[in-house]
Amino acid sequence: MEDLLGLLRIHVQRGVNLAVRDVVSSDPYVVIRMGKQKLKTRVIKKNLNPEWNDDLTLSIADLNLPVKLTVYDRDTFSLDDKMGDAEFEIAPLVNAVKMSLEGHPNGTIITKVQPSRQNCLSQESCIIWNNGKVVQDMFLRLRNVETGEVELQLEWIHVP
């Protein structure tokens, strides 16, 4: 762990309008991957608009690795069905963390990341100074699926 730059707390808030993978609903959960790390949320039964409110924490050693997110439908008797995927970069958040922001009022918008063909953002993502922390809210549009978005909040955690 000598290369550890910090920790990234990912608050997986909710899914919106997720795809049906069972008869009329799905049992969704989220898998987050970065490099060799893999984290999962809990499964929310029979819900296309699940509220996970789960916190997952990644150890960050390489700022250039994308964070990959995949939504699955939990199945009992067969392999879990894929319900779409997305990925995002953490460089804008880390660049904001490097600024000297102490003394700024809560809610100060440090920077905004615009949706583009190169990212999975479905709307503008603001990086904000809040209660002495740098946080980034994002809505990710899922790829390789007919419908669905996932709402996240990222928070950088310094490691002394």
Side-chain angles (χ1 to χ4, degrees), residues 48-86:
L48 300 178
N49 295 290
E51 299 266 347
W52 288 289
N53 286 314
D54 284 358
D55 286 326
L56 307 175
T57 304
L58 292 169
S59 305
I60 306 300
D62 183 350
L63 299 175
N64 298 314
L65 281 178
V67 178
K68 299 180 184 209
L69 173 150
T70 309
V71 181
Y72 291 96
D73 168 46
R74 165 76 72 216
D75 286 328
T76 308
F77 301 111
S78 61
L79 289 174
D80 292 353
D81 300 312
K82 201 168 173 187
M83 296 174 65
D85 63 88

Side-chain angles (χ1 to χ4, degrees), residues 72-153:
Y72 291 96
D73 168 46
R74 165 76 72 216
D75 286 328
T76 308
F77 301 111
S78 61
L79 289 174
D80 292 353
D81 300 312
K82 201 168 173 187
M83 296 174 65
D85 63 88
E87 65 179 51
F88 58 91
E89 305 291 329
I90 61 169
L93 179 73
V94 174
N95 290 338
V97 167
K98 291 177 182 173
M99 297 178 191
S100 170
L101 297 163
E102 283 71 25
H104 280 74
N106 268 349
T108 300
I109 296 174
I110 302 160
T111 188
K112 297 176 181 179
V113 182
Q114 299 300 324
S116 71
R117 291 189 183 276
Q118 286 71 47
N119 65 35
C120 294
L121 295 173
S122 63
Q123 63 190 46
E124 180 177 83
S125 174
C126 292
I127 299 174
I128 298 170
W129 176 253
N130 203 7
N131 296 324
K133 297 175 181 163
V134 177
V135 297
Q136 180 176 5
D137 293 312
M138 52 175 56
F139 276 93
L140 297 173
R141 179 175 291 119
L142 297 175
R143 305 177 293 196
N144 306 310
V145 69
E146 55 276 17
T147 180
E149 293 183 0
V150 174
E151 183 180 354
L152 305 174
Q153 184 180 69

